[in-house]
């Protein structure tokens, strides 16, 4: 075949060369003929020579055509031969394959090959001599296969007979398969318990949790693989039982260890790891709903860690605040503050720079930290397959805890702090008022995040308004307490000479200083909202009046003179003058002055010695000394006794004193009568 191919190629090349050579000559001749037609007259003398040449070339062309025809015939013969040989090739291949199968003792495939050879391939080339030889050999080959197969069968049967005892032994072992299965399952249960036992420090790092989850996933992936690739060794009921046990132990371990965690970032990473763990096992067909239920418990733990973290954040903000209005010197600074906190005030916008916001730094800082807390809450709800309503509810409940517990406590701690000044308390009231107004913006902020409208059924409302109101009221109460303490500090400086006979004709120094302090304090209160300033002023005046009364009536002052009472009266007049001056706008007429009415009537009664009027009008609704209690009057009157025992140089003075003493005794007796009749 290779030689034949070589010879064909050689002939083809010769034919090609000859054709190329004569073809060019033919083309040239045609070209010459065309030229001759145009120049017939010129070449008339040369026609004979040209004809001769043409005849000669024509003969050569005829010879070339004959040779070409012969070559074409040879090419067709070669092609036909190739086709025939192509039919022979499969026969030879199948015969070779048959021999290989027989050598390797694959008797059944050999018989199949022999059948294909006999009925499919050989009939196509049966006229060839080598095929006839093959046809004659087929029965012999079939017989040979039969003999060899029979021999192998005998050997196989002999082998079975020899090894029948081992076969029986194996069969008996298959009657003991249940023992093997039980052993496998028992050992795997033991391994599962080891895998499910978390390390004691698992809660310290995320890697501890990751290693624990990897072990569990690996264990159950192996069991799932065995379930699908073997028969009988494990079944679905066994795996389900094992998973139930694993799930309960895993959840118990996670509950315990997550409770130790105080870092919200680690709790968040743990949640993401549990979601991955649950999703992976769910792919393998294990039920994981309990894991997602447990994640809702861990969410509460996460919320607690966030609250602890934000307690520190709020404490730092409140401790570092200067409790002064934020000054702004440029439009850029103004816009920055307004960008951090929702505040609108047209009047303030119109004012030229520099100007001040009414609130201090802690307002925008606290507002932004509340938003940061909301973002942190949202992170945990991702991938938990929760509805937007559930996410919204979760965020609102956590935010309410932040406001009503964490922030509220932080504000209360600042308000109750020792040595806190009135200026700081005033600023806290102003700050909490603005934060209260911002609660509606926090509501909108949550709505924009969760896409759950506030009017949706069961939507939890934010309790920020309550939180800031409570803080403001606490600050107000602290202002009243603080003011009273300051008043008490001034009163401790009071140094009355209750036995004096002289009159200074001016108020005591301590009281003048006290009134000056109150004036400057109430000047700061102008920025306070509502009636806080009025209440504080009224509270201060009432406390001052009560304290002065106690000063006058305290048991340690056993005796006092009319002169001392007149000096005391000057101080009370100073207080009344302060009340009339309107230190805080908003009071009607003499409302503030009424705080001192008890003192005024008591002092007027004694200084004017108007006992006849008091005793005559007592009990009537329009009496002049309506606010004077007879017990109070008697207590004070008792202090004015015995002053006459002082040794005086002049007898008439002693006589006057004796007369006065008798009068005091008479009045005292009448007062006792009033008191006893009133009680009876």
């Amino acid at each position: 075949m290779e030689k034949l191919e070589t010879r064909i190629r050689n002939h083809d090349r010769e034919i090609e060369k000859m054709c190329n050579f004569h073809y060019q000559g033919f083309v040239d001749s045609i070209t010459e003929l065309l030229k001759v037609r145009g120049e017939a007259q010129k070449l008339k003398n040369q026609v004979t020579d040209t004809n001769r040449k043409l005849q000669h070339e024509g003969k050569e062309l005829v010879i070339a055509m004959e040779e070409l025809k012969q070559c074409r015939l040879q090419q067709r013969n070669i092609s036909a031969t190739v086709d025939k040989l192509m039919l022979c090739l499969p026969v030879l291949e199948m015969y070779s394959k048959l021999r290989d199968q027989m050598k390797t003792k694959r008797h059944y495939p050999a018989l199949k090959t022999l059948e294909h050879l006999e009925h499919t391939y050989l009939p196509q080339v049966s006229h060839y001599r080598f095929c006839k030889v093959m046809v004659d050999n087929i029965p012999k080959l079939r017989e040979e296969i039969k003999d060899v197969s029979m021999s192998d069968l005998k050997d196989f049967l002999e082998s079975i007979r020899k090894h029948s005892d081992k076969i029986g032994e194996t069969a008996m072992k298959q009657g003991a398969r249940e023992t093997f299965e039980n052993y496998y399952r028992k050992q795997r249960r033991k391994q599962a318990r080891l895998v499910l036992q978390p390390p004691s420090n698992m809660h310290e790092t995320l890697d501890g949790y990751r290693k624990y989850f990897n072990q569990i996933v690996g264990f159950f992936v192996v069991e799932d693989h065995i379930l699908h690739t073997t028969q009988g060794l494990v079944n679905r009921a066994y795996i389900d039982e094992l998973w139930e046990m694993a799930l309960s132990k895993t959840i118990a371990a996670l509950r315990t260890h997550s409770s130790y965690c105080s870092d919200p970032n680690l709790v968040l990473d743990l949640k993401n790891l549990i979601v991955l763990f649950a999703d992976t096992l769910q792919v393998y067909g294990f039920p994981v709903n309990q894991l997602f239920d447990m994640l809702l418990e861990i969410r509460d733990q996460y919320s607690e860690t966030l609250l602890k973290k934000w307690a520190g954040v709020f404490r730092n903000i409140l401790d570092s605040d200067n409790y002064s209005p934020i000054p702004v010197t440029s439009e850029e600074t103004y816009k920055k503050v307004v960008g951090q906190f929702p505040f609108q005030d047209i009047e303030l916008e119109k004012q030229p720079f520099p100007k001040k916001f009414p609130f201090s730094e802690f307002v925008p800082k606290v507002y932004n930290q509340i938003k940061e807390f909301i973002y942190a809450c949202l992170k945990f709800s991702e991938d938990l397959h929760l509805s937007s309503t559930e996410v919204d509810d979760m965020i609102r409940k956590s935010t309410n805890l932040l406001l009503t517990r964490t922030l509220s406590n932080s504000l209360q701690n600042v308000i109750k702090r020792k040595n806190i000044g009135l200026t700081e308390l005033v600023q806290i009231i102003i700050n909490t008022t603005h934060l209260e107004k911002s609660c509606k913006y926090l509501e909108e902020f949550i709505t924009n995040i969760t896409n759950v409208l506030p009017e949706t059924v069961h939507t939890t409302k934010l309790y920020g308004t309550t939180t800031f109101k409570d803080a403001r009221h606490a600050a107000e109460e602290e202002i009243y307490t603080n003011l009273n303490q300051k008043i008490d500090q001034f009163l401790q400086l009071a140094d009355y000479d209750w036995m004096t006979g002289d009159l200074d004709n001016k108020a005591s120094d301590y009281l003048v200083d006290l009134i000056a302090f109150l004036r400057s304090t109430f000047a700061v209160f102008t920025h306070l909202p509502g009636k806080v300033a009025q209440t504080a002023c009224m509270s201060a005046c009432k406390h001052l009046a009560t304290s002065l009364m106690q000063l006058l009536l305290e048991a340690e002052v056993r005796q006092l003179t009319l002169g001392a009472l007149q000096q005391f009266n000057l101080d009370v007049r100073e207080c009344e003058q302060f009340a009339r001056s309107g230190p805080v706008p908003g009071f009607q007429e003499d409302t503030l002055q009424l705080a001192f009415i008890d003192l005024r009537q008591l002092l007027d009664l004694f200084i004017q010695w108007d006992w006849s009027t008091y005793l005559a009008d007592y009990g009537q609704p329009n009496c002049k000394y309506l606010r004077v209690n007879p017990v109070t009057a008697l207590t004070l009157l008792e202090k004015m006794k015995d002053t006459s025992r002082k040794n005086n140089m002049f007898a008439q003075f002693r006589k006057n004193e004796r007369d006065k003493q008798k009068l005091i005794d008479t009045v005292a007796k009448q007062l006792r009568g009033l008191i006893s009749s009133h009680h009876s």
Side-chain angles (χ1 to χ4, degrees):
M1 284 297 295
E2 287 175 1
K3 287 180 179 179
L4 187 61
E5 285 291 326
T6 305
R7 190 168 179 184
I8 288 167
R9 283 197 295 273
N10 290 337
H11 275 297
D12 283 340
R13 278 197 294 272
E14 290 296 326
I15 290 165
E16 190 177 353
K17 284 178 184 177
M18 189 178 293
C19 286
N20 286 339
F21 175 77
H22 289 293
Y23 179 77
Q24 189 61 43
F26 180 77
V27 171
D28 292 340
S29 298
I30 296 299
T31 305
E32 288 298 325
L33 282 171
L34 290 171
K35 289 180 181 178
V36 166
R37 183 180 293 173
E39 298 178 356
Q41 293 299 323
K42 291 181 182 178
L43 301 174
K44 195 172 184 181
N45 296 331
Q46 300 174 6
V47 167
T48 306
D49 295 337
T50 303
N51 284 338
R52 197 178 294 118
K53 287 180 182 178
L54 286 170
Q55 287 173 357
H56 178 69
E57 289 176 358
K59 286 177 184 177
E60 288 182 350
L61 186 60
V62 169
I63 294 166
M65 293 299 287
E66 284 296 326
E67 289 180 357
L68 182 61
K69 185 179 179 182
Q70 189 65 30
C71 287
R72 292 292 184 199
L73 183 60
Q74 287 176 350
Q75 193 171 20
R76 279 197 299 274
N77 290 341
I78 290 165
S79 180
T81 305
V82 168
D83 290 341
K84 293 291 183 183
L85 288 172
M86 289 300 287
L87 286 172
C88 294
L89 277 174
V91 177
L92 295 170
E93 288 172 356
M94 290 296 284
Y95 194 76
S96 174
K97 182 180 178 183
L98 177 64
R99 281 299 184 190
D100 287 340
Q101 287 169 341
M102 289 178 69
K103 279 181 184 178
T104 55
K105 295 186 178 183
R106 290 185 294 144
H107 303 128
Y108 181 75
L111 283 172
K112 282 287 183 185
T113 304
L114 192 64
E115 190 178 334
H116 280 301
L117 194 60
E118 184 178 15
H119 297 294
T120 305
Y121 295 105
L122 282 173
Q124 295 177 3
V125 288
S126 57
H127 54 283
Y128 293 117
R129 188 157 49 88
F130 78 90
C131 291
K132 289 178 181 178
V133 174
M134 286 184 183
V135 170
D136 293 340
N137 277 337
I138 282 174
K140 295 176 183 176
L141 290 169
R142 189 175 278 115
E143 194 64 31
E144 184 181 339
I145 291 169
K146 180 182 176 183
D147 292 342
V148 173
S149 298
M150 189 58 73
S151 174
D152 286 351
L153 181 59
K154 288 177 182 178
D155 291 343
F156 174 67
L157 290 170
E158 181 67 24
S159 175
I160 286 176
R161 188 188 63 77
K162 286 180 181 178
H163 296 95
S164 59
D165 59 334
K166 290 185 178 178
I167 293 170
E169 184 184 349
T170 304
M172 291 295 286
K173 285 181 179 176
Q174 292 288 328
R177 181 171 187 165
E178 188 178 346
T179 305
F180 175 74
E181 289 172 0
N182 289 338
Y183 174 78
Y184 172 83
R185 294 179 187 184
K186 183 179 179 183
Q187 292 301 313
R188 286 295 277 171
R189 280 193 183 94
K190 286 182 179 178
Q191 290 175 5
R193 287 190 179 93
L194 288 173
V195 164
L196 293 166
Q197 187 63 39
S200 58
N201 63 340
M202 184 172 77
H203 60 275
E204 292 176 1
T205 62
L206 192 65
D207 284 337
Y209 288 108
R210 187 179 286 113
K211 186 178 179 182
Y212 179 63
F213 288 140
N214 287 346
Q215 287 177 344
I216 298 171
V217 171
F219 181 91
F220 282 98
V221 166
V222 168
E223 290 302 294
D224 183 75
H225 180 73
I226 289 172
L227 174 69
H228 291 95
T229 56
T230 64
Q231 290 185 352
L233 189 58
V234 297
N235 56 31
R236 175 52 67 184
Y238 154 78
I239 289 183
D240 287 346
E241 179 199 343
L242 204 59
W243 173 243
E244 278 298 318
M245 182 266 288
L247 196 58
S248 62
K249 286 188 176 294
T250 303
I251 288 172
L254 289 173
R255 276 196 185 114
T256 302
H257 284 268
S258 65
S259 65
Y260 297 143
C261 188
S262 58
D263 179 8
N265 292 327
L266 182 57
V267 179
L268 188 63
D269 289 339
L270 172 60
K271 164 251 166 181
N272 292 329
L273 203 56
I274 293 172
V275 169
L276 180 60
F277 172 68
D279 288 347
T280 304
L281 285 165
Q282 195 169 34
V283 168
Y284 285 92
F286 295 101
V288 293
N289 287 343
Q290 289 183 49
L291 282 169
F292 281 102
D293 291 341
M294 187 210 56
L295 277 171
L296 297 181
E297 295 175 26
I298 292 182
R299 177 191 67 187
D300 296 335
Q301 167 69 14
Y302 176 70
S303 182
E304 284 299 319
T305 59
L306 285 183
L307 291 172
K308 285 179 184 174
K309 179 182 177 182
W310 258 262
V313 170
F314 288 142
R315 185 169 59 249
N316 291 337
I317 289 173
L318 297 175
D319 286 349
S320 61
D321 200 66
N322 61 7
Y323 294 92
S324 299
I326 302 172
V328 279
T329 54
S330 66
E331 188 68 28
E332 184 183 353
T333 314
Y334 188 90
K335 285 181 178 177
K336 183 181 176 184
V337 176
V338 173
Q340 291 173 334
F341 181 74
F343 175 78
Q344 288 181 329
D345 188 330
I346 297 170
E347 291 300 320
L348 186 63
E349 286 177 18
K350 289 178 182 176
Q351 289 179 21
F353 291 101
K355 51 190 172 184
K356 291 180 180 180
F357 283 99
F359 46 82
S360 70
E361 286 281 357
F362 93 58
V363 169
K365 285 181 179 177
V366 164
Y367 181 81
N368 279 292
Q369 281 304 321
I370 296 171
K371 288 170 69 175
E372 287 298 320
F373 178 87
I374 292 168
Y375 278 129
C377 289
L378 182 67
K379 284 181 183 176
F380 196 92
S381 65
E382 293 170 353
D383 304 320
L384 291 188
H385 314 307
L386 297 172
S387 67
S388 54
T389 308
E390 288 173 311
V391 173
D392 183 85
D393 191 57
M394 183 200 85
I395 290 175
R396 286 175 183 273
K397 284 180 177 175
S398 296
T399 307
N400 274 337
L401 282 175
L402 179 78
L403 294 169
T404 59
R405 196 170 81 188
T406 309
L407 180 55
S408 179
N409 287 346
S410 298
L411 288 168
Q412 295 289 345
N413 288 338
V414 172
I415 291 165
K416 299 295 182 184
R417 198 161 51 193
K418 285 184 179 180
N419 303 323
I420 188 165
L422 287 166
T423 308
E424 286 89 342
L425 289 168
V426 168
Q427 192 61 57
I428 287 171
I429 291 172
I430 294 166
N431 286 358
T432 49
T433 304
H434 286 284
L435 281 170
E436 183 186 338
K437 290 177 183 176
S438 75
C439 285
K440 62 178 181 179
Y441 297 103
L442 287 174
E443 291 268 11
E444 289 174 11
F445 179 69
I446 294 174
T447 300
N448 291 336
I449 286 178
T450 61
N451 293 320
V452 176
L453 297 174
E455 56 267 19
T456 307
V457 184
H458 304 312
T459 299
T460 306
K461 298 296 180 186
L462 288 185
Y463 299 138
T465 304
T466 309
T467 296
F468 298 124
K469 272 184 179 174
D470 290 346
R472 187 166 68 252
H473 291 153
E476 290 169 8
E477 289 298 325
E478 197 63 30
I479 281 179
Y480 309 148
T481 305
N482 194 302
L483 263 176
N484 291 348
Q485 288 173 348
K486 293 285 186 185
I487 290 169
D488 290 342
Q489 289 172 10
F490 279 102
L491 285 167
Q492 286 173 2
L493 300 174
D495 186 22
Y496 288 103
D497 180 2
W498 298 110
M499 301 301 293
T500 185
D502 301 325
L503 193 63
D504 288 344
N505 289 323
K506 67 184 181 75
S508 304
D509 290 343
Y510 88 90
L511 195 81
V512 173
D513 293 341
L514 170 56
I515 298 299
F517 161 76
L518 290 176
R519 286 189 191 282
S520 63
T521 299
F522 291 128
V524 177
F525 281 20
T526 52
H527 301 296
L528 283 172
K531 299 194 175 183
V532 179
Q534 293 174 29
T535 307
C537 191
M538 178 57 80
S539 169
C541 287
K542 281 183 177 179
H543 181 73
L544 177 56
T546 305
S547 300
L548 287 171
M549 182 72 83
Q550 287 173 347
L551 205 62
L552 192 63
L553 299 175
E554 68 180 19
E556 290 181 9
V557 180
R558 293 171 185 261
Q559 292 181 343
L560 54 81
T561 62
L562 192 59
L565 213 56
Q566 287 172 333
Q567 178 61 49
F568 191 80
N569 186 47
L570 286 175
D571 291 347
V572 173
R573 287 192 182 283
E574 189 73 19
C575 294
E576 289 171 320
Q577 175 59 35
F578 167 74
R580 280 195 299 273
S581 68
V584 170
F587 285 110
Q588 291 182 347
E589 299 176 0
D590 58 350
T591 304
L592 195 58
Q593 201 175 338
L594 289 174
F596 301 97
I597 190 70
D598 290 18
L599 269 174
R600 171 50 45 220
Q601 289 188 7
L602 181 67
L603 290 171
D604 283 353
L605 173 61
F606 273 83
I607 291 169
Q608 294 171 18
W609 207 252
D610 196 7
W611 292 106
S612 56
T613 305
Y614 178 77
L615 293 168
D617 295 348
Y618 181 78
Q620 295 179 16
N622 58 348
C623 70
K624 185 177 178 182
Y625 302 103
L626 182 66
R627 306 290 298 182
V628 179
N629 188 308
V631 176
T632 307
L634 181 61
T635 304
L636 191 60
L637 193 63
E638 293 284 353
K639 292 177 184 289
M640 301 187 76
K641 276 186 179 182
D642 301 328
T643 50
S644 61
R645 288 181 185 175
K646 249 181 146 184
N647 289 325
N648 286 314
M649 293 174 65
F650 304 103
Q652 73 257 28
F653 285 164
R654 282 199 300 273
K655 183 178 183 301
N656 289 340
E657 286 299 327
R658 278 198 303 272
D659 293 342
K660 188 176 181 183
Q661 188 65 42
K662 285 179 183 178
L663 185 57
I664 289 173
D665 288 339
T666 305
V667 173
K669 186 177 179 181
Q670 290 176 304
L671 285 173
R672 288 190 192 97
L674 274 180
I675 294 167
S676 62
S677 64
H678 178 71
H679 283 294
S680 63

